[in-house]
């Protein structure tokens, strides 16, 4: 499945989640998807994105790690369904939106839990989601820079 469809599915699942365990599972799914997209871009994306894509992979992996291991049945891990990236710019724009929503969900969880361990887990996951989103925004900036340079080269 292409990245944008998976991201839209993740956004809907995150929005429909009720209760902290379900929300944390959807946050984990989103971070795993960000990690998979980062890996895809690092290997097969535009060369100017590869360093940032590796950083995204690492940060999103950290986001999954702080949330702990989740168990999924066959076909439940969305990131495993990624078969194509599609257009990098569009995928990154959607991913940036998803990571922003992940951060908002985590703030909501952190502000409502009494459990200190869950609170700090959320704080670390917020940091990872925010840094992941920063990487996505940097990749979008680099794509925009590339698009500005290409017309200049064609005109010259």
């Amino acid at each position: 499945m292409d990245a944008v469809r998976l991201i839209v599915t993740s956004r809907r699942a995150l929005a429909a989640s009720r209760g902290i365990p379900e929300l944390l599972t959807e946050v984990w799914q989103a971070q795993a998807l960000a990690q998979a997209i980062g890996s895809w871009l690092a290997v097969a994306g535009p060369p100017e994105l590869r360093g940032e894509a590796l950083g995204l992979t690492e940060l999103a992996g950290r986001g999954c790690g702080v949330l702990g291991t989740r168990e999924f049945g066959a076909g439940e891990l969305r990131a495993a369904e990624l078969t194509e990236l599609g257009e990098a710019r569009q995928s990154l724009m959607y991913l940036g939106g998803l990571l922003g929503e992940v951060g908002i969900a985590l703030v909501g969880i952190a502000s409502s839990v009494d459990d200190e361990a869950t609170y700090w887990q959320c704080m670390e996951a917020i940091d990872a989601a925010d840094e992941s989103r920063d990487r996505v925004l940097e990749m979008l900036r680099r794509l925009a820079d590339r698009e500005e340079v290409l017309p200049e080269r064609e005109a010259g």
Side-chain angles (χ1 to χ4, degrees), residues 1-13 33 37 78 81-87 90-91 94-95 98:
M1 189 179 302
D2 71 275
V4 171
R5 283 183 52 199
L6 287 169
I7 293 166
V8 168
T9 300
S10 286
R11 289 176 90 167
R12 287 180 182 151
L33 183 55
I37 291 170
R78 278 185 219 107
E81 296 179 37
L82 182 64
T83 57
E84 64 178 285
L85 185 65
E87 200 269 313
Q90 183 182 27
S91 295
Y94 276 78
L95 182 59
L98 174 62

Side-chain angles (χ1 to χ4, degrees), residues 2-4 7 37-38 40-42 44-50 53 56 84-96 135-144 146-147:
D2 71 275
V4 171
I7 293 166
I37 291 170
W40 190 287
L41 285 167
E48 62 269 26
L49 301 185
R50 291 186 180 158
L56 172 60
E84 64 178 285
L85 185 65
E87 200 269 313
R89 186 176 191 284
Q90 183 182 27
S91 295
L92 288 168
M93 288 185 66
Y94 276 78
L95 182 59
R135 294 292 172 125
V136 167
L137 294 175
E138 178 60 22
M139 286 188 276
L140 284 167
R141 186 193 63 75
R142 288 182 184 206
L143 284 175
R146 180 179 80 165
E147 290 171 6

Side-chain angles (χ1 to χ4, degrees), residues 23-35 60-61 63-70 72 77 79 102:
L23 275 167
L24 289 174
T25 296
E26 288 306 324
V27 165
W28 193 97
Q29 285 264 30
Q31 288 285 26
L33 183 55
Q35 185 178 25
C64 288
V66 300
L67 293 173
T69 304
R70 301 284 190 250
F72 296 97
L77 179 59
V102 161

